[in-house]
Amino acid sequence: MALIVQKFGGTSVASTDRIKNVAKRVARWRAQGHDIILVPSAMAGETNRLIGLAREISPAPDPRELDVIASTGEQVTIGLLAMAMHAEGLKAKSFTGFQVGVLTDSTFTKARILKIDQHRIRKALADGHVVVVAGFQGADEHGNITTLGRGGSDTSAVALAAAMKADECQIYTDVDGVYTTDPRVVPEARKLDNITFEEMLEMASLGSKVLQIRSVEFAGKYKVKLRVLSSFEEEGEGTLITVEEKGNMEQPIISGIAFNRDEAKLTVLGVPDRPGIAYQILGPIADANIDVDMIIQNIGRDDTTDFSFTVNRTDYGKALAILETVKERIGARDITGDTTICKVSAVGVGMRSHPGVASKMFGALAKENINLQMISTSEIKISVVIEERYLELAVRVLHKAFGLEKPPKSKLGLTGRGETDIITPS
Ligand code: ASP
Ligand code: MG
């Protein structure tokens, strides 16, 4: 018998029929004697609809009120799920975030969880209930309703699993796991049995949208056993997000190829080569709350240098306008920009112990005549900025170069077979 937190995404609760299916599934788990905490999202499309309503009243809705509205989608699904479980003969009780005591800070629309009160959940579990907790929401110390940012019910589930010391947190979604890359780009993409937290973080921040990034950070920090599974297939063990184990020789060097189209590049040309320049360029960008990703400063010649960086494409116009004013101030020659770029990355903890990954990657791209505009590396990732029109080609070529279409030699999980066994209802 285990305590399991199960999160069901919007498509998994998109209709009352699907909600009934979830209840049937939970009934089988209960029959095995497991304690279950269910954390649903709103029905698919519902959060968008609610935010749309708010925007019809005001183009820039008051964030506090927006959260009051946006949080209601999950309140509907918890009630429906509880009722569907009653119909299966189960005891079940629903709670909003506020009711269970999910305490957050007061950053409306992207609040952070500070604490979760275990009390009510423990009591309801002890009374034999399936506990259904609304995802995506909490309340601040003043009792204002808050939401955790789009996709935030993943984080709700992981935080609940951490607070309740659950045996496993299962994220049921419309894909059956985490893939080596987007199967729409590479049909040979393969589902991974395991991926480490760090790799998953990179994949998520690079645009693989399976899990909200914050939920992965949370799971890594609190060592929550996290698994992504399909809500439409009963079979399959999904993908387990693991802690890296040192010295696992079977570990693939590269676990996945991630990519992001939402990139734009800005270059300040002819910047005086002197201390403080990077700060003078990027300071105002940071002040405007624009995230900067890659940064490149060339070697100075004639006492000037070129300074390039990438931002999210939606921030491009804003960043360009800021740079125009910066240009005057620092006496730069010109500003150029490009919104037709993208970023492609090879991700894998295995590259820590295997040299030559970068050259293999660059070689594969060179063979296709793809020009690398920017390069950045970390311990477990190599990213390149290239022209957007080469994105699919680059991803396909790299997927092949690193042999990702073939299953790894050993099926032994990163944490050993024993620990990766899924808890399944039989
Ligand atoms: N319903 C919220 C959203 O659409 C939260 C979630 O689905 O995780 O963003
Ligand atoms: Mg989601």
Side-chain angles (χ1 to χ4, degrees), residues 7-10 41 150-154 171-174 209-212:
K7 184 251 165 177
F8 284 88
S41 297
R150 299 309 304 270
S153 48
D154 294 340
I171 308 280
Y172 287 90
T173 178
D174 47 7
K209 303 224 164 49
V210 183
L211 289 171
Q212 196 197 32

Side-chain angles (χ1 to χ4, degrees), residues 97-214:
F98 186 42
Q99 282 178 311
V100 282
V102 176
L103 180 70
T104 72
D105 64 15
S106 305
T107 325
F108 295 112
T109 75
K110 43 178 183 294
R112 282 182 178 270
I113 297 177
L114 303 173
K115 210 175 93 195
I116 295 181
D117 189 355
Q118 301 182 30
H119 199 75
R120 269 188 114 158
I121 302 179
R122 291 256 180 247
K123 166 128 198 358
L125 288 172
D127 290 344
H129 287 100
V130 174
V131 176
V132 193
V133 181
F136 180 50
Q137 57 176 266
D140 72 4
E141 55 175 342
H142 309 294
N144 295 307
I145 291 172
T146 54
T147 67
L148 310 179
R150 299 309 304 270
S153 48
D154 294 340
T155 301
S156 302
V158 174
L160 277 162
M164 300 295 297
K165 302 204 168 37
D167 296 285
E168 188 163 310
C169 180
Q170 303 176 341
I171 308 280
Y172 287 90
T173 178
D174 47 7
V175 293
D176 60 352
V178 180
Y179 277 69
T180 49
T181 195
D182 188 337
R184 283 168 301 188
V185 174
V186 183
E188 297 79 27
R190 203 169 36 78
K191 182 181 80 65
L192 295 160
D193 293 335
N194 302 300
I195 186 167
T196 70
F197 283 110
E198 285 175 292
E199 290 169 330
M200 192 60 212
L201 264 184
E202 291 290 357
M203 298 286 273
S205 62
L206 293 166
S208 154
K209 303 224 164 49
V210 183
L211 289 171
Q212 196 197 32
I213 292 181
R214 209 183 278 176

Side-chain angles (χ1 to χ4, degrees), residues 125-420:
L125 288 172
D127 290 344
H129 287 100
V130 174
V131 176
V132 193
V133 181
F136 180 50
Q137 57 176 266
D140 72 4
E141 55 175 342
H142 309 294
N144 295 307
I145 291 172
T146 54
T147 67
L148 310 179
R150 299 309 304 270
S153 48
D154 294 340
T155 301
S156 302
V158 174
L160 277 162
M164 300 295 297
K165 302 204 168 37
D167 296 285
E168 188 163 310
C169 180
Q170 303 176 341
I171 308 280
Y172 287 90
T173 178
D174 47 7
V175 293
D176 60 352
V178 180
Y179 277 69
T180 49
T181 195
D182 188 337
R184 283 168 301 188
V185 174
V186 183
E188 297 79 27
R190 203 169 36 78
K191 182 181 80 65
L192 295 160
D193 293 335
N194 302 300
I195 186 167
T196 70
F197 283 110
E198 285 175 292
E199 290 169 330
M200 192 60 212
L201 264 184
E202 291 290 357
M203 298 286 273
S205 62
L206 293 166
S208 154
K209 303 224 164 49
V210 183
L211 289 171
Q212 196 197 32
I213 292 181
R214 209 183 278 176
S215 72
V216 184
E217 286 168 359
F218 221 102
K221 188 159 160 201
Y222 294 99
K223 307 254 178 308
V224 173
K225 191 171 169 190
L226 182 61
R227 193 186 293 274
V228 176
L229 294 145
S230 165
S231 50
F232 303 117
E233 287 165 30
E234 296 277 326
E235 299 291 302
E237 302 198 347
T239 300
L240 182 69
I241 327 271
T242 60
V243 179
E244 181 184 354
E245 194 170 87
K246 296 268 174 288
N248 184 342
M249 297 309 285
E250 305 295 350
Q251 202 159 281
I253 299 171
I254 296 298
S255 294
I257 307 295
F259 57 85
N260 190 359
R261 289 175 211 272
D262 304 327
E263 302 260 336
K265 184 174 82 168
L266 293 134
T267 302
V268 190
L269 295 159
V271 180
D273 194 8
R274 59 162 195 261
I277 282 293
Y279 176 64
Q280 284 187 54
I281 294 172
L282 295 181
I285 298 284
D287 291 343
N289 251 324
I290 298 173
D291 274 334
V292 170
D293 183 16
M294 285 197 210
I295 302 169
I296 283 189
Q297 186 184 330
N298 290 328
I299 295 172
R301 55 187 133 67
D302 315 330
D303 291 331
T304 67
T305 180
D306 297 340
F307 189 96
S308 298
F309 60 94
T310 60
V311 297
N312 198 295
R313 214 173 274 179
T314 50
D315 288 329
Y316 176 74
K318 212 159 102 188
L320 196 61
I322 292 171
L323 288 187
E324 288 298 342
T325 64
V326 169
K327 178 182 135 189
E328 302 303 318
R329 208 174 319 136
I330 63 174
R333 182 157 38 84
D334 204 3
I335 311 285
T336 61
D338 190 349
T339 54
T340 58
I341 57 152
C342 67
K343 183 167 77 171
V344 177
S345 310
V347 176
V349 292
M351 70 173 79
R352 282 198 180 116
S353 48
H354 294 267
V357 175
S359 74
K360 187 168 188 176
M361 178 169 178
F362 302 157
L365 296 172
K367 210 184 268 165
E368 300 296 332
N369 249 322
I370 298 173
N371 189 37
L372 311 184
Q373 304 182 14
M374 295 170 106
I375 299 169
S376 86
T377 62
S378 81
E379 261 202 298
I380 66 161
K381 176 196 72 176
I382 301 166
S383 300
V384 296
V385 166
I386 60 173
E387 254 183 273
E388 189 184 13
R389 61 190 167 121
Y390 291 127
L391 184 136
E392 274 89 2
L393 176 63
V395 173
R396 276 201 304 274
V397 161
L398 294 176
H399 197 269
K400 186 126 204 13
F402 289 107
L404 289 175
E405 73 283 5
K406 296 179 220 105
K409 282 184 219 98
S410 160
K411 274 210 70 186
L412 192 67
L414 296 181
T415 56
R417 194 173 296 245
E419 266 181 73
T420 62

